[in-house]
Amino acid sequence: DILLTNMNGQGINTFLLSNRCAPKQVYFGHGEYFFDIDGIDNRLVMGNVNEVKEQIINNFKFYVYKNIVDKDLLNPPLIEENLKDMKYIKSKYSKDTIFLGTIGRLVKLESNDYIKIVLNILKKYPNTIYLACGAGGESKVKELLKEVNREIGLENLEERFIFTGLIN
């Protein structure tokens, strides 16, 4: 009955909206006003306002809502057990170690160009460690790492590019 979507970089959303797959189609954004195609019945956008406000942008009406975010979600308190784990992990490395990394689905790391850049950074700066935090597709990323590393020649790859799994 209703399609509610945002434009998170997925082409399928554009396809669904532009082909009118539902009788009522609503775009919900997080401050983006760029998605202004025909075929959207309502456009809801969170913004820095005190009350609901209409804005006309490129001849399309957007309803802007107050952006309400729980500050504890942005800066959660550190749990004592997590602090102990963090201190233990850091104790394995020298004080000048720089930790780089990503948090999210590992499928996002499946790029020759990206892996090449990371391995070149790790090779150029021996005090860096890369933490791949997340789930899904670890074996494919490991294959890609080995393939790219044949060209880069980073020693101790497994000790420098670390898969943590899901983290808190």
Side-chain angles (χ1 to χ4, degrees), residues 115-125 152:
I115 295 296
K116 187 181 275 190
I117 289 168
V118 170
L119 293 185
N120 276 315
I121 291 169
L122 294 176
K123 186 172 182 175
K124 185 173 182 177
Y125 301 98
I152 305 298

Side-chain angles (χ1 to χ4, degrees), residues 13 17 22 27 30 52 63 77 92 106 114 134-135 147 158-159:
N13 296 331
L17 286 168
Y27 163 70
H30 302 281
V52 176
Y63 294 95
K92 295 179 176 183
L106 297 179
Y114 184 78
E147 178 184 316
E158 293 80 20
E159 296 169 21

Side-chain angles (χ1 to χ4, degrees), residues 39-56:
I40 300 175
D41 301 304
N42 287 303
R43 293 165 178 81
L44 312 173
V45 179
M46 289 190 300
N48 293 323
V49 295
N50 290 326
E51 58 189 49
V52 176
K53 174 172 117 175
E54 285 184 20
Q55 283 189 314
I56 305 296

Side-chain angles (χ1 to χ4, degrees), residues 9 21 23-24 26 33 35 41 45 50 73-74 76 86 96 99 106 109 111 114 123 129 137 139-140 152 159 161 166:
C21 72
K24 186 79 167 173
V26 178
Y33 297 95
F35 203 76
D41 301 304
V45 179
N50 290 326
L73 289 175
L74 293 176
M86 187 172 66
D96 69 335
F99 294 93
L106 297 179
L109 301 178
S111 161
Y114 184 78
K123 186 172 182 175
I129 302 288
S139 61
K140 190 164 183 182
I152 305 298
E159 296 169 21
F161 195 107
L166 293 174

Side-chain angles (χ1 to χ4, degrees), residues 26-144:
V26 178
Y27 163 70
F28 180 79
H30 302 281
E32 313 91 2
Y33 297 95
F34 59 83
F35 203 76
D36 55 3
I37 65 169
D38 291 319
I40 300 175
D41 301 304
N42 287 303
R43 293 165 178 81
L44 312 173
V45 179
M46 289 190 300
N48 293 323
V49 295
N50 290 326
E51 58 189 49
V52 176
K53 174 172 117 175
E54 285 184 20
Q55 283 189 314
I56 305 296
I57 298 173
N58 297 333
N59 296 320
F60 291 96
K61 186 189 311 183
F62 287 83
Y63 294 95
V64 184
Y65 288 83
K66 184 174 184 174
N67 187 1
I68 301 172
V69 177
D70 184 344
K71 294 201 182 347
D72 285 339
L73 289 175
L74 293 176
N75 297 305
L78 289 172
I79 298 168
E80 189 62 36
E81 182 180 334
N82 292 346
L83 284 171
K84 286 178 187 174
D85 290 344
M86 187 172 66
K87 287 177 184 175
Y88 172 73
I89 291 167
K90 283 186 168 184
S91 73
K92 295 179 176 183
Y93 300 95
S94 70
K95 294 201 183 294
D96 69 335
T97 300
I98 297 172
F99 294 93
L100 310 171
T102 50
I103 298 174
R105 290 171 289 141
L106 297 179
V107 68
K108 296 176 181 183
L109 301 178
E110 293 176 9
S111 161
N112 267 9
D113 292 336
Y114 184 78
I115 295 296
K116 187 181 275 190
I117 289 168
V118 170
L119 293 185
N120 276 315
I121 291 169
L122 294 176
K123 186 172 182 175
K124 185 173 182 177
Y125 301 98
N127 63 328
T128 55
I129 302 288
Y130 189 92
L131 302 174
C133 307
E138 185 175 318
S139 61
K140 190 164 183 182
V141 176
K142 283 183 176 179
E143 285 176 32
L144 186 58

